[in-house]
Amino acid sequence: MNTAARIESCSEGGRVLLSQETSELLTNAGKGHWFEKRDDKVKAKGKGELQTYWLDVSLPRHWDEDEITECGDFIWGEEKLRGTTVVYRKEDRLIDWNVEHLHRLLKEVSARRKALGLKKMTAPELKNIRYSKSGSTVLEEVKEVIALPEFDPKAAREQEDPQTVELHPTAVAQLHDYVVAISYLYHDNAFHNFDHASHVTMSVIKLLSRIVFSPPTDHKGTRRSAMKNKRQKAAANMHDNTYGITSDPLTQFACVFSALIHDVDHRGVPNGQLAVENLKLATLYKNKSLAEQNSVDLAWDLLMDDRYSELRKAIYCNESEQKRFRSLVVNAVMATDIMDRDLKNLRNARWDKAFNENVSSSGIASENLSSSSHGEKSLHGEKTDTREDINRKATIVIEHLMQASDVAHTMQHWHIYRKWNERLFQEMYSAYKSGRAETDPSTFWYKGEIGFFDYYIIPLAKKVKDCGVFGVSSDEYLNYAMQNRDEWTLKGESIVAEMVQKKSKLFMQQKLIRQRKSSNASGA
């Protein structure tokens, strides 16, 4: 109490002063850029002189203004606030962008719920819904098949335009607050950061937009009943060809939500190193998919906070919807652990069971899927999929949608691939230089990328194409993956040398800065 009182009495109006212990906690949480060292020390009775720190979350300390202007990570704007220039973080723009798309999807969820005649929960009813895990860990909750809603012709015919839906203002405000909180749970890593999460979210939205159904336009003179029937038929066909994904806005919201939270609290090292550094997480998650399970738990626990009651009511309206939402999030996030061999083998086996036995050469699902629940024969004598077959395919497609989006930079323009490839190299090189990795990534980066393309990226792009639901995007992703692989083969060795030289120069500059600060502190 004495320490806290002395720190408070020595602070300044409108500023927050931190203790040494608090600064260490923030540093360990990857938020070392949130504070700066105070020049003078605080004298506390019985403790002597104490080093304190000013809280300042507006500007990462490892960037200077020239770098900020060049990389575009911040926007400078004049605003009348204590006569100063305000810095708008790039994260603020990303937050607004994520909120905008999640808001849009929640309006679609609301419109579909209204068309289905589902009632909204009261506050006491919502409070009574507490998700109970089906396993002791998040990984044990992963389902082979997640049941999506069957096609409802009346809902498809009667649903209003989602853009006319007005969500409760409190729910919208809580959505924004939640995304802000999620952004702060991301660490200041070179690659696994909020920027990456937003890039993955963007890819998920892009892929979903290629399959999401757009209802026919109500042309002048067309009878209303005829238009409704036309919309119903088109929606039924789309439902069948996308295994029901397009008919359930909650599924689409869950995919985007999962992309946003999938790397929350990532520590900048692989799961193997994380297990060494954090025995508590290793024990809690049984040494399997530590980072991914931790991300789900943190994001879910935050969503369950009382602050977000209206947001939860907007996402799900009953226990069944909550369970489906939870299952979709768990499966989607856990699919991003691509390094665990057991999980990889299980996913490959599930893919073979879902697609290799039943998908036609065109990659399109059999006809009349929504009307077939028991594997009956079609008019052509071919066996149609059962309800479980359809749901299995939907589950696998969602997981591969997430996987492809998580590495989307490898299947996009060369300059995008190069940017993210270098960021990942920087993150792994920093881990090596700080003693958190045994091997220098520069020794394997060139050949490792070629192997990554050959054994993961290109096969994944082919699966995205083979599932037959993503239209031209599947060809686009595969073509870019192959082009990037070829260009990396030609230029990769020289690029690795350049990245090493750039990173080594940066480390030297940082070392000199630390020495200069240490010298100044000693002189004082």
Side-chain angles (χ1 to χ4, degrees), residues 18 21-32 34-35 55:
L18 308 177
E21 292 76 10
T22 302
S23 71
E24 290 173 355
L25 289 172
L26 286 173
T27 300
N28 292 335
K31 303 298 183 183
W34 278 16
F35 59 86
L55 180 67

Side-chain angles (χ1 to χ4, degrees), residues 191-204:
F191 182 90
H192 293 98
N193 50 37
F194 187 64
D195 198 357
H196 165 67
S198 298
H199 186 255
V200 175
T201 302
M202 188 180 300
S203 177
V204 167

Side-chain angles (χ1 to χ4, degrees), residues 294-312:
N294 183 49
S295 295
V296 172
D297 273 342
L298 287 175
W300 188 265
D301 288 346
L302 179 64
L303 182 63
M304 293 300 108
D305 191 278
D306 290 341
R307 290 175 292 169
Y308 304 113
S309 59
E310 286 297 327
L311 174 58
R312 294 198 301 275

Side-chain angles (χ1 to χ4, degrees), residues 61 170 218 393 429 461 464:
R61 296 293 138 212
T170 304
D218 190 355
K393 289 180 178 180
Y429 193 75
V464 171

Side-chain angles (χ1 to χ4, degrees), residues 271 274-275 278 281-282 285 287-295:
N271 279 323
L274 182 57
N278 196 319
L281 282 183
Y285 298 124
N287 284 305
K288 300 281 286 185
S289 307
L290 273 64
E292 293 78 13
Q293 295 194 73
N294 183 49
S295 295

Side-chain angles (χ1 to χ4, degrees), residues 472-486:
V472 296
S473 287
S474 56
D475 289 316
E476 177 185 304
Y477 274 33
L478 179 58
N479 291 337
Y480 274 126
M482 297 176 71
Q483 290 171 17
N484 288 336
R485 193 264 188 209
D486 291 342

Side-chain angles (χ1 to χ4, degrees), residues 31 33 57-58 60 63 72-75 88-98 176 179-180 183-184 186-189 193-196 198:
K31 303 298 183 183
H33 60 281
V57 300
S58 65
W63 285 334
D73 283 310
F74 286 75
I75 304 173
Y88 297 95
R89 302 181 310 147
K90 178 181 179 181
E91 281 81 355
D92 293 332
R93 288 187 296 154
L94 292 176
I95 287 167
D96 290 342
W97 181 87
N98 280 290
H176 184 274
V179 176
V180 170
S183 75
Y184 280 114
Y186 277 89
H187 291 243
D188 190 28
N189 302 315
N193 50 37
F194 187 64
D195 198 357
H196 165 67
S198 298

Side-chain angles (χ1 to χ4, degrees), residues 37 61 512-523:
K37 186 177 180 180
R61 296 293 138 212
L512 291 173
I513 292 173
R514 286 194 297 269
Q515 290 175 345
R516 191 180 303 121
K517 286 184 176 180
S518 177
S519 177
N520 292 338
S522 299

